[in-house]
């Protein structure tokens, strides 16, 4: 339909992009890749008998053929999309599609995307279409899946975006430089035991609200909370240090003592979480601090030089699981 529209209404078509497309859905000597009439009849029988039930993924998405969750979602999608009768009518209509004679009439920018191992529409069908549309760009992608939302979807989207806009999107970095802040309540186990569950839950709610208030004020990003502690990131080490001190002072007013550790380094993005060596170092630095103390790595101290933050040298330490010695500093004043 898209090919027919592009040929008929070029003034209303900015570009034509196909993915795993075919020009004909019935096998002929000059087009030997399409299904035979017997194969199409077999498809009709399956639709009439099994529509909306278990889906055979071996041709559409072989890379997920054994993924029970995906098969269930696809079955639900098919049931919500069409009744068995409408699905059968669509399959019969698709069998009659033949745009081979129309291809040379397409005069709009055209991108033909096709996966090399596509089992539902042979790669030769994509080549056939691209060879007959004037100036069409043919791009062969790796993989066996016919469905565009299975496999390397990012590559598909990036190619389309570059074709339509002339600009290929820059990949989102998986690693970023950030300052990590760890905080936790000192003596939380003993405090919880003495207060009881309900009272301790109230204390934690007040603690969380106070920490989140300071994070918002200093433009920190909460990454995770571990019951009585927080992991947050900042795009500047000075703000992270000042935030840690503000959290300490605010919680001290409510009778809670916390300790904190700050480190700046390269972090690995893991969805909504972060990981990497810098996170481990920040955690170890926090573990060295005592009640009411904010510790920082030498990296942080060097980066905030001239900010007015005063540090006390607490010596070199071996951090568990971290190579070499690390010099640690206590924040004396901000």
């Amino acid at each position: 339909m898209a090919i027919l529209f592009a040929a008929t209404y070029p003034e209303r078509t900015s570009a034509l992009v196909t993915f795993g497309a075919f020009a004909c859905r019935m096998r002929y000597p000059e087009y030997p890749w399409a299904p035979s009439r017997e194969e199409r009849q077999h498809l009709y029988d399956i639709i009439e008998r099994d529509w909306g039930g278990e889906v055979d993924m071996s041709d559409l998405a072989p890379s997920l053929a054994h993924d029970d969750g995906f098969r269930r979602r696809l079955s639900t999608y098919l049931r919500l999309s069409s009744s068995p009768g409408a699905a059968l009518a669509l399959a019969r209509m698709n069998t009659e599609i033949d745009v081979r004679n129309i291809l040379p009439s397409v005069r709009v920018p055209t991108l033909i995307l096709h996966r090399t191992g596509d089992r539902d529409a042979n790669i030769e069908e994509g080549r056939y279409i691209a060879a007959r549309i004037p100036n069409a760009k043919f791009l062969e992608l790796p993989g066996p899946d016919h469905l565009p939302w299975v496999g390397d979807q990012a590559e598909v989207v990036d190619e389309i975006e570059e074709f339509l806009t002339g600009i290929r999107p820059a990949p989102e970095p998986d690693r970023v430089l950030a300052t990590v802040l760890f905080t936790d309540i000192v003596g939380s186990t003993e405090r919880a035991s003495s207060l009881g569950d309900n009272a301790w839950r109230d204390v934690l709610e007040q603690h969380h609200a106070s920490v989140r208030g300071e994070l918002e004020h200093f433009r920190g990003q909460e990454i995770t909370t571990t019951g009585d502690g927080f992991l947050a990131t900042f795009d500047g080490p000075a703000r992270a240090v000042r935030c840690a001190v503000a959290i300490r002072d605010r919680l001290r007013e409510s009778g809670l003592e916390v300790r904190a550790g700050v480190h700046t380094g390269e972090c690995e993005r893991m969805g909504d979480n972060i990981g990497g060596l810098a996170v481990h170092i920040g955690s170890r630095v926090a573990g060295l601090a005592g009640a009411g103390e904010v510790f920082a790595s030498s990296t942080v101290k060097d980066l905030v030089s001239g900010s007015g933050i005063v540090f006390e040298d607490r010596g070199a330490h071996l951090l568990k699981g971290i190579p070499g010695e690390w010099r640690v500093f206590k924040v004396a004043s901000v």
Side-chain angles (χ1 to χ4, degrees), residues 64-104:
L64 292 177
H66 302 295
D67 187 323
D68 293 336
F70 183 83
R71 288 205 306 272
R72 287 194 299 271
R73 292 192 296 274
L74 184 59
S75 295
T76 301
Y77 166 76
L78 295 177
R79 285 196 302 274
L80 294 175
S81 299
S82 171
S83 67
L88 180 59
L90 179 63
R92 292 185 184 278
M93 183 189 74
N94 283 344
T95 300
E96 304 304 320
I97 287 177
D98 189 342
V99 294
R100 289 177 292 168
N101 293 329
I102 295 172
L103 297 176

Side-chain angles (χ1 to χ4, degrees), residues 1 23 55 69 82 120 150 162 190 236 269:
M1 189 64 72
V55 179
S82 171
D120 188 70
V150 176
E162 182 178 13
E190 295 79 4
R269 287 178 173 170

Side-chain angles (χ1 to χ4, degrees), residues 17 20 22 35 55-56 63 106 112 120 163 195 218 242 245 305 334:
V17 179
F22 52 85
V55 179
D56 182 3
S63 69
V106 176
I112 309 297
D120 188 70
F163 180 75
L195 290 175
F218 287 96
R242 292 191 171 100
V245 171
S305 176
V334 295

